[in-house]
Amino acid sequence: MTGRTLAELGLDEAPRDHPLAYPGIWPADSGLLDGDRLSPLDRLVYDDGRVPVLAVGSNASPAQLRHKMAEFGVTGTIPMVRARVTGLDVGVSAHISRLGYVSASPVESPTTVRELFVVWLDGRQLEVIDASEGVPLPDGNFGRAWLPAPDVRVGLADGTALPGVHAYVNRHGVLHDGTGTPRRHPGERALLTELLTESAELRGLFGVTPEEFCARARADAELCRQGTRLFAERSWAVASGLERYVGAQQTGSPGTGSSLSPPLM
């Protein structure tokens, strides 16, 4: 089949290589990611050994998923299913990533409806995504949570309502908008412009433009930690409301332990 490569579809730019493009370009519709190709799906539910994971940021970018799997030498298809999600919104993680951006994180929002993606992962693929989010580390940035229906409702195009979905909840909390309400992630360039405008301290660490911010963050892990501490020390972070769903640390497929070491994030 021609015309289905990520480049041909305009989906080949990964946020890890282009941080100001975070969260990356999402597909227009559901598809089956197979290496460098995204093909149509023949079904929307894959409960035969796979688990549903909600993507609120770059995990909905096929190019980012391709990079993550290649980094660990993991192959195989990944169904990416567009879904209508009620009960949460896309907030801003209260940490600065080594990849040069401030990522998205889900927040509780009972009346909000968002169009997001569910990726159906097998055990090995789940280990990769867990590792990329820092789940196996006691001081990692994210914990994996099971969000049950009806607290979070996930509806698919064929009318299926999922009984729940996994999601990654930031352990640092999420940034608020100045009133204590979690701010929504508006896209990386707009977000960094807002944050740098609001904080002279942040400008002192990361420069005055989004480009400077990304370049400095990618070059200096300690600087990223300083920025993350600044969020906490200035009380810019609040709870996402989803912390209660993060149970005991569990990585890999349910019932197994992760064998993968997290990359530098």
Side-chain angles (χ1 to χ4, degrees):
M1 181 183 298
T2 61
R4 303 305 304 184
T5 69
L6 297 188
E8 289 168 327
L9 294 170
L11 299 171
D12 60 331
E13 188 174 275
R16 62 179 297 148
D17 298 324
H18 305 277
L20 284 178
Y22 183 93
I25 303 174
W26 294 5
D29 204 348
S30 301
L32 185 67
L33 181 64
D34 187 359
D36 190 45
R37 305 183 70 83
L38 188 69
S39 303
L41 291 175
D42 59 5
R43 55 193 172 107
L44 301 181
V45 176
Y46 294 78
D47 53 4
D48 47 355
R50 293 180 179 267
V51 297
V53 177
L54 187 65
V56 302
S58 65
N59 285 333
S61 160
Q64 191 90 325
L65 285 177
R66 176 187 61 185
H67 273 287
K68 288 186 177 187
M69 296 302 155
E71 185 172 4
F72 290 105
V74 173
T75 59
T77 60
I78 300 178
M80 303 182 67
V81 177
R82 194 170 181 88
R84 186 176 178 85
V85 181
T86 304
L88 58 78
D89 206 346
V90 180
V92 178
S93 298
H95 87 280
I96 297 173
S97 170
R98 276 293 312 279
L99 294 178
Y101 47 67
V102 179
S103 63
S105 187
V107 297
E108 185 176 39
S109 185
T111 62
T112 298
V113 180
R114 294 293 301 263
E115 293 288 329
L116 300 171
F117 273 87
V118 172
V119 292
W120 291 88
L121 304 177
D122 66 25
R124 190 65 170 167
Q125 292 165 346
L126 185 62
E127 288 182 355
V128 169
I129 303 302
D130 274 356
S132 75
E133 304 295 351
V135 173
L137 299 177
D139 59 349
N141 293 315
F142 290 89
R144 175 155 52 84
W146 173 254
L147 307 180
D151 297 0
V152 175
R153 299 186 296 281
V154 181
L156 308 184
D158 64 358
T160 299
L162 298 184
V165 67
H166 292 273
Y168 294 99
V169 176
N170 201 287
R171 291 173 178 154
H172 304 279
V174 294
L175 298 184
H176 64 75
D177 62 4
T179 71
T181 300
R183 71 164 76 204
R184 298 180 73 176
H185 201 299
E188 199 63 22
R189 184 178 292 278
L191 174 65
L192 295 183
T193 298
E194 292 172 3
L195 295 178
L196 292 170
T197 299
E198 294 168 8
S199 172
E201 290 174 287
L202 207 59
R203 294 194 299 273
L205 292 175
F206 293 96
V208 299
T209 67
E211 289 81 5
E212 287 181 287
F213 185 106
C214 294
R216 293 188 187 186
R218 289 170 73 87
D220 193 334
E222 176 54 32
L223 189 63
C224 292
R225 287 190 284 269
Q226 288 181 43
T228 300
R229 286 196 297 270
L230 182 66
F231 290 158
E233 291 167 357
R234 296 296 179 268
S235 299
W236 295 342
V238 293
S240 70
L242 301 174
E243 288 80 5
R244 66 187 183 275
Y245 298 106
V246 181
Q249 286 307 305
Q250 180 187 54
T251 60
S253 57
T256 71
S258 176
S259 61
L260 300 178
S261 298
L264 293 176
M265 297 295 286

